Amino acid sequence: MKKAVFILVAMIALSAFSPVQQKQKIIFFGDSITQAGVQPKGYITRFGQMLEQKGLKDKYELIGAGIGGNKIYDLYLRMEDDVLAKNPDIVVIWVGVNDVWHKQSSGTGTDADKFQKFYTAVIKKLQAKNIKVFLCTPACIGERTDFSNQQDGDLNLYSNFIRTLAANNNCTLIDLKKFFLAYNLANNKDNKESGILTTDRVHLNETGNEMVAQEMMKVIIK
Amino acid sequence: MKKAVFILVAMIALSAFSPVQQKQKIIFFGDSITQAGVQPKGYITRFGQMLEQKGLKDKYELIGAGIGGNKIYDLYLRMEDDVLAKNPDIVVIWVGVNDVWHKQSSGTGTDADKFQKFYTAVIKKLQAKNIKVFLCTPACIGERTDFSNQQDGDLNLYSNFIRTLAANNNCTLIDLKKFFLAYNLANNKDNKESGILTTDRVHLNETGNEMVAQEMMKVIIK
Amino acid sequence: MKKAVFILVAMIALSAFSPVQQKQKIIFFGDSITQAGVQPKGYITRFGQMLEQKGLKDKYELIGAGIGGNKIYDLYLRMEDDVLAKNPDIVVIWVGVNDVWHKQSSGTGTDADKFQKFYTAVIKKLQAKNIKVFLCTPACIGERTDFSNQQDGDLNLYSNFIRTLAANNNCTLIDLKKFFLAYNLANNKDNKESGILTTDRVHLNETGNEMVAQEMMKVIIK
Amino acid sequence: MKKAVFILVAMIALSAFSPVQQKQKIIFFGDSITQAGVQPKGYITRFGQMLEQKGLKDKYELIGAGIGGNKIYDLYLRMEDDVLAKNPDIVVIWVGVNDVWHKQSSGTGTDADKFQKFYTAVIKKLQAKNIKVFLCTPACIGERTDFSNQQDGDLNLYSNFIRTLAANNNCTLIDLKKFFLAYNLANNKDNKESGILTTDRVHLNETGNEMVAQEMMKVIIK
């Protein structure tokens, strides 16, 4: 009798704890775009709803770790507290817009070589903890398709850096820049600066959030 | 007898007036690229050699009016002394690289709206003197063909402004940006930053000077 | 009888022409600080109230010609329409904050040499119409008194340019920068960035507007 | 007799071990100014000569670790290899000019808050190894004494940060900015931009190197 009770208790305990053991923790690590990702129609929220539709809701825990204005070295400076301390299984890094944009808006953008050095340091620290790392290219600063958005050149350059970093460090690339351009080439016939996938050239509208969630789903959840 | 006198008088008249009447004065008005254009292998020198080959040497006078670092409002500030005072028939304006580049190199680039206003003012002042005006797009700051030269976005934007200015003001466009990109797409397979048409991403090498002289020849001399 | 008629005619003529002849037109020409100057507690409004207190209301007409974000070459570009077309007797120029500030906030500040060239051109055009010109130094971008406001160095440099321009062109200087610093040295013991004479480091609070109106009154109305 | 032998042995032991035990390793950690410090008349070389004059040559080992263009986060990125790996007793940090200057020269200066965060991280890592840390304020970008050097405001602000960092982290401050200004107020009567303590507004001439060596000597060697 006592034994039966013990077994019952143990089973309850297992059912209570096992989801915790199986639940994969995914941290989305980025800037204001990711900060907005946890809002009702944000891409992280949508990612969660997609998991639910697939019946995978209990298998994943999603954490948004985006802070407005962040550049790669901001991620580096806060990764201990905001990422490593939470023991994630997967980290999705999406950064770069401010590294480029701040060059003109405040004179404090990130040098090309330092961008790569800090980004490498972030990847190495995550991988040293056996965390699976996904890298995203910065989607856009402006949606014009003739490469006449003012930061297009620099943003393409930094996207190339990220593509190389992914290849060199065995990280899966989520090439949002490529997806956004392809979508705009098909859907932005008037060469508008915003309104197709973004509200303001940078931050995602509903279609943009949906697209990002779907592209991430394709490679993160298999 | 009367006829001989008439012919003599006519010949004197011709020798007196015809050189003045026929020699068209062309001023090349721009920045350091144009300043270098009068050097032995510069595009203005090459333009002159091409005229000579066509037997048109005596029909044109070529004047280089390029000053390093010039932006559109520098052209505006010195156009009285360096252009109008010389009574040209034709002015070829080639400017824009510094308007974009100085945003990052010194914080003193030219606002998009001010670029168009000063450019329009320059055109209007020239046309008010019945001067024929040709507008060039800025060829490049970097020769990479995947739009990852850091200023590509802004330079494309300002090139679009110039294309519109040419259309709106009945000026002939010499779309150097388009020609340079086409040439690089065919000849710069390694996506190099310089060495194809430029020595340093901006200033012309021999091939670049040759190409610019030819493109200008096509539309200026008919 | 004839004399009486003459006097009557003369009086009619006086009433018709004298207001026009006597009323001096003052245009305040500048940026957002001057744009705000016509608001209920703005410095131009206060200037008008001071005139009224002195019984001089009918002798002057005050016109605010400030536009937010203007730099010296914006003043140059719009001076025909906004100043010369109105035939002022006096023009008070107050510009410089954006020429310095935009270097960092958008990469489109004004080169030191171009600042002086355009400023000189504005003065010359006004003086050619016999307009009396007053020059103001830019009061401040930040009210700290230990010269640790980020633009202090550049703003002091451009203020020096304006002092020299006033001396070289026989314009009366209204050295707002000097007055603001003196006031802050006496009243800003905590070395605060704003709140003494400005609301936000640049735009005037009530005390600031009062001070500017008084300093202008001292030299413009004698 | 036994006592004499003991003393002799002790002397031998001292002569054998004392160089290793007593020789203090000082690393000068900074930018191009420090990189030039090891040249024949550089401040580190002069510091060594002063030690020799004091008969302290054998007590100290001096290492220059300056790299041109370095900002605070460059120091952070290379401190493991260039500083910690060498086990210094003392580190003199002199940085800040590029953090401010690059805002305008390349759009990649250091945000005020990030400057303090990375600087704090550098100090903490050094102190965790029981290294004594000295902090220098950036001497100058321009030697004018009326605070009209273009970066004066920002450089004063960042110097204030360093003063606070020294106070908060128990580091000795070497306030080069203060010393340079005092010297220029006494010796730069013509308000020149360079030539008093620098060759080019930033890098030290012979007098500048001498002064820096002396000020460092005062607080490091006692």
Side-chain angles (χ1 to χ4, degrees):
Chain A
M1 171 78 184
K2 274 187 177 173
K3 196 176 179 184
V5 169
F6 171 74
I7 289 170
L8 185 67
V9 170
M11 284 174 67
I12 290 169
L14 270 174
S15 73
F17 289 106
S18 64
V20 173
Q21 291 178 328
Q22 291 179 359
K23 221 168 190 173
Q24 295 245 316
K25 194 180 283 186
I26 307 177
I27 295 186
F28 299 85
F29 194 28
D31 54 30
S32 59
I33 303 171
T34 295
Q35 192 172 17
V38 297
Q39 291 174 349
K41 296 190 173 177
Y43 78 87
I44 301 172
T45 306
R46 278 297 294 131
F47 193 95
Q49 293 165 343
M50 290 175 186
L51 285 176
E52 197 166 1
Q53 287 159 3
K54 290 174 190 282
L56 297 170
K57 188 187 170 186
D58 295 336
K59 303 240 171 182
Y60 294 94
E61 182 188 351
L62 309 183
I63 299 176
I67 293 187
N70 267 204
K71 297 183 281 242
I72 185 64
Y73 51 69
D74 294 285
L75 299 194
Y76 179 82
L77 283 166
R78 67 186 180 88
M79 72 182 296
E80 292 288 341
D81 292 342
D82 291 0
V83 179
L84 296 177
K86 294 177 180 170
N87 292 311
D89 301 281
I90 292 171
V91 170
V92 183
I93 306 174
W94 185 5
V95 77
V97 160
N98 294 310
D99 298 85
V100 165
W101 176 250
H102 288 190
K103 290 186 188 180
Q104 189 159 322
S105 65
S106 62
T108 57
T110 310
D111 297 301
D113 60 334
K114 258 54 78 60
F115 181 79
Q116 296 169 84
K117 282 185 185 174
F118 277 111
Y119 210 132
T120 301
V122 169
I123 294 170
K124 295 291 187 201
K125 281 197 173 191
L126 293 171
Q127 289 181 334
K129 301 274 185 184
N130 290 318
I131 297 167
K132 190 162 168 52
V133 184
F134 292 80
L135 310 190
C136 302
T137 49
C140 65
I141 305 176
E143 302 193 56
R144 291 196 201 114
T145 56
D146 63 346
F147 300 105
S148 71
N149 305 291
Q150 291 193 263
Q151 271 72 31
D152 270 350
D154 221 14
L155 208 61
N156 279 326
L157 181 64
Y158 282 55
S159 295
N160 283 346
F161 295 153
I162 292 169
R163 289 171 188 131
T164 302
L165 285 165
N168 291 349
N169 293 283
N170 290 315
C171 301
T172 302
L173 179 71
I174 306 174
D175 201 341
L176 297 178
K177 182 151 227 345
K178 196 180 76 175
F179 303 139
F180 269 54
L181 179 59
Y183 188 91
N184 268 291
L185 282 168
N187 295 282
N188 182 7
K189 296 301 182 194
D190 296 335
N191 204 28
K192 291 195 289 181
E193 276 200 280
S194 63
I196 312 301
L197 293 167
T198 74
T199 56
D200 61 356
R201 303 191 307 139
V202 170
H203 297 91
L204 309 179
N205 66 11
E206 202 171 332
T207 313
N209 274 299
E210 179 69 22
M211 187 177 159
V212 168
Q214 282 179 0
E215 293 297 343
M216 289 186 172
M217 185 64 57
K218 284 183 199 168
V219 293
I220 297 173
I221 310 299
K222 294 195 255 207
Chain B
M1 170 77 185
K2 274 186 177 173
K3 196 178 177 182
V5 170
F6 171 74
I7 289 170
L8 184 66
V9 170
M11 284 173 66
I12 290 168
L14 270 174
S15 72
F17 291 104
S18 65
V20 173
Q21 290 178 329
Q22 289 180 357
K23 210 162 195 173
Q24 295 245 316
K25 194 180 282 186
I26 306 177
I27 295 185
F28 298 86
F29 195 28
D31 55 28
S32 59
I33 303 171
T34 295
Q35 191 172 18
V38 296
Q39 290 174 353
K41 296 189 173 178
Y43 77 88
I44 300 171
T45 306
R46 279 296 294 131
F47 192 96
Q49 293 164 344
M50 290 175 187
L51 285 177
E52 197 167 1
Q53 287 159 3
K54 290 175 190 281
L56 297 170
K57 188 188 171 187
D58 295 336
K59 305 239 172 184
Y60 294 93
E61 181 188 350
L62 309 183
I63 299 176
I67 292 187
N70 268 205
K71 297 183 282 244
I72 185 62
Y73 50 69
D74 294 286
L75 299 195
Y76 179 83
L77 283 166
R78 67 187 180 87
M79 72 181 296
E80 293 287 342
D81 292 343
D82 291 0
V83 179
L84 295 178
K86 295 176 180 170
N87 292 312
D89 301 282
I90 291 171
V91 170
V92 183
I93 306 174
W94 185 4
V95 77
V97 160
N98 294 311
D99 298 85
V100 165
W101 175 251
H102 287 191
K103 289 186 189 181
Q104 190 159 319
S105 66
S106 62
T108 57
T110 310
D111 297 300
D113 59 334
K114 258 55 77 59
F115 181 80
Q116 297 170 83
K117 281 185 185 174
F118 277 113
Y119 211 132
T120 302
V122 168
I123 294 170
K124 294 292 187 199
K125 280 198 174 190
L126 293 171
Q127 290 181 333
K129 302 272 185 185
N130 291 317
I131 297 166
K132 190 163 167 50
V133 184
F134 292 80
L135 310 190
C136 302
T137 49
C140 65
I141 305 175
E143 302 194 55
R144 292 195 202 112
T145 56
D146 63 345
F147 299 105
S148 72
N149 305 291
Q150 292 194 266
Q151 272 72 29
D152 270 350
D154 222 14
L155 209 61
N156 280 325
L157 181 63
Y158 282 56
S159 295
N160 284 346
F161 295 153
I162 292 169
R163 289 170 189 133
T164 302
L165 284 164
N168 291 348
N169 294 282
N170 290 314
C171 301
T172 302
L173 179 72
I174 306 173
D175 201 342
L176 297 177
K177 182 150 227 348
K178 195 180 77 174
F179 302 140
F180 269 54
L181 179 59
Y183 188 91
N184 268 290
L185 282 168
N187 295 282
N188 183 7
K189 297 300 183 194
D190 297 336
N191 204 29
K192 290 195 289 184
E193 275 199 282
S194 62
I196 313 301
L197 293 167
T198 74
T199 57
D200 61 356
R201 303 192 307 138
V202 169
H203 297 93
L204 309 179
N205 66 11
E206 201 171 334
T207 313
N209 274 299
E210 179 70 21
M211 187 177 160
V212 168
Q214 283 179 359
E215 293 296 342
M216 288 185 173
M217 185 63 57
K218 283 182 200 169
V219 292
I220 298 173
I221 311 299
K222 293 196 254 210
Chain C
M1 170 82 182
K2 274 187 178 173
K3 195 177 178 182
V5 169
F6 172 74
I7 289 170
L8 185 66
V9 170
M11 282 173 68
I12 290 168
L14 270 174
S15 71
F17 291 104
S18 64
V20 174
Q21 289 177 330
Q22 291 181 357
K23 212 164 195 173
Q24 295 246 315
K25 195 180 282 186
I26 307 176
I27 295 186
F28 298 86
F29 195 28
D31 55 29
S32 59
I33 304 171
T34 294
Q35 193 172 18
V38 296
Q39 290 175 350
K41 295 190 174 178
Y43 77 87
I44 299 171
T45 307
R46 279 297 294 131
F47 193 95
Q49 292 164 344
M50 290 175 186
L51 285 176
E52 198 167 359
Q53 287 159 4
K54 289 175 191 281
L56 297 170
K57 188 188 171 187
D58 295 337
K59 304 238 171 186
Y60 294 93
E61 182 188 350
L62 309 182
I63 300 177
I67 293 187
N70 268 204
K71 298 183 280 243
I72 185 63
Y73 51 69
D74 295 285
L75 299 194
Y76 179 82
L77 283 167
R78 66 186 180 89
M79 71 181 297
E80 293 288 342
D81 292 342
D82 291 0
V83 179
L84 295 177
K86 294 177 179 169
N87 293 310
D89 301 281
I90 291 171
V91 170
V92 183
I93 305 173
W94 185 5
V95 77
V97 160
N98 295 310
D99 298 85
V100 166
W101 176 250
H102 288 191
K103 289 186 188 179
Q104 189 159 320
S105 66
S106 62
T108 57
T110 310
D111 298 300
D113 59 335
K114 257 54 78 58
F115 181 79
Q116 296 170 83
K117 281 184 185 174
F118 276 112
Y119 211 134
T120 301
V122 169
I123 294 170
K124 294 292 187 199
K125 280 197 174 191
L126 292 171
Q127 290 181 333
K129 301 273 186 185
N130 291 316
I131 297 167
K132 189 162 169 51
V133 184
F134 292 81
L135 310 190
C136 302
T137 49
C140 66
I141 305 177
E143 303 194 54
R144 292 195 201 113
T145 56
D146 63 345
F147 299 105
S148 72
N149 304 291
Q150 291 193 264
Q151 272 72 30
D152 270 350
D154 222 13
L155 209 61
N156 280 326
L157 181 64
Y158 282 55
S159 295
N160 283 345
F161 295 153
I162 292 169
R163 289 169 189 134
T164 302
L165 284 165
N168 291 349
N169 293 283
N170 289 314
C171 301
T172 302
L173 179 71
I174 307 173
D175 201 342
L176 297 178
K177 183 151 226 347
K178 196 180 77 175
F179 302 139
F180 269 54
L181 179 59
Y183 188 91
N184 268 291
L185 282 168
N187 294 282
N188 183 5
K189 296 300 181 193
D190 297 335
N191 203 29
K192 291 195 290 184
E193 275 199 282
S194 63
I196 313 301
L197 293 167
T198 74
T199 57
D200 60 357
R201 303 191 307 138
V202 169
H203 297 91
L204 308 180
N205 66 11
E206 202 171 333
T207 312
N209 274 299
E210 178 70 22
M211 187 176 159
V212 168
Q214 283 179 1
E215 293 296 342
M216 288 186 173
M217 186 64 57
K218 283 183 199 168
V219 291
I220 297 173
I221 311 299
K222 292 194 256 207
Chain D
M1 169 81 179
K2 274 186 180 176
K3 195 177 178 184
V5 169
F6 172 73
I7 288 170
L8 185 65
V9 171
M11 284 172 66
I12 291 168
L14 269 175
S15 73
F17 291 103
S18 65
V20 174
Q21 291 176 326
Q22 291 180 355
K23 210 163 196 173
Q24 297 244 315
K25 193 180 285 187
I26 306 177
I27 296 186
F28 298 86
F29 194 28
D31 54 29
S32 59
I33 303 171
T34 294
Q35 192 172 16
V38 297
Q39 290 174 351
K41 296 191 174 178
Y43 78 88
I44 300 171
T45 306
R46 278 297 294 132
F47 192 96
Q49 293 164 344
M50 290 175 186
L51 285 176
E52 198 167 0
Q53 287 160 2
K54 289 174 190 284
L56 297 170
K57 188 188 172 187
D58 296 336
K59 304 238 171 185
Y60 294 93
E61 181 187 350
L62 310 182
I63 299 176
I67 293 187
N70 268 204
K71 296 183 281 247
I72 185 64
Y73 52 69
D74 295 285
L75 299 194
Y76 179 82
L77 283 166
R78 66 186 181 87
M79 72 182 296
E80 293 288 342
D81 292 343
D82 291 359
V83 179
L84 295 178
K86 295 177 180 169
N87 292 311
D89 302 281
I90 291 171
V91 171
V92 183
I93 306 174
W94 185 5
V95 77
V97 160
N98 295 311
D99 298 85
V100 165
W101 176 249
H102 287 191
K103 289 186 188 180
Q104 189 159 319
S105 67
S106 62
T108 57
T110 310
D111 297 301
D113 59 335
K114 258 54 77 59
F115 181 79
Q116 297 169 83
K117 282 185 185 174
F118 277 112
Y119 210 134
T120 302
V122 169
I123 294 169
K124 295 291 187 199
K125 280 197 174 191
L126 293 171
Q127 289 181 333
K129 302 273 185 184
N130 291 317
I131 298 167
K132 189 162 168 52
V133 184
F134 293 79
L135 309 190
C136 302
T137 49
C140 64
I141 305 176
E143 303 194 55
R144 292 195 202 113
T145 56
D146 63 346
F147 300 105
S148 71
N149 304 292
Q150 292 194 264
Q151 272 72 30
D152 270 349
D154 222 14
L155 209 61
N156 279 325
L157 181 64
Y158 282 56
S159 295
N160 283 346
F161 295 153
I162 293 170
R163 289 170 189 132
T164 302
L165 284 165
N168 291 349
N169 294 283
N170 290 314
C171 301
T172 302
L173 179 72
I174 307 174
D175 201 343
L176 297 177
K177 182 148 226 348
K178 196 180 77 175
F179 302 140
F180 270 54
L181 178 60
Y183 188 91
N184 267 291
L185 282 167
N187 295 282
N188 183 7
K189 297 299 184 195
D190 296 335
N191 204 29
K192 291 195 289 183
E193 276 199 281
S194 63
I196 313 300
L197 293 166
T198 75
T199 58
D200 61 356
R201 303 191 308 138
V202 170
H203 297 93
L204 308 179
N205 66 11
E206 201 171 334
T207 312
N209 274 298
E210 179 70 21
M211 186 177 161
V212 167
Q214 282 179 0
E215 293 296 341
M216 288 185 173
M217 185 64 57
K218 283 182 198 169
V219 292
I220 297 172
I221 311 300
K222 293 194 255 206

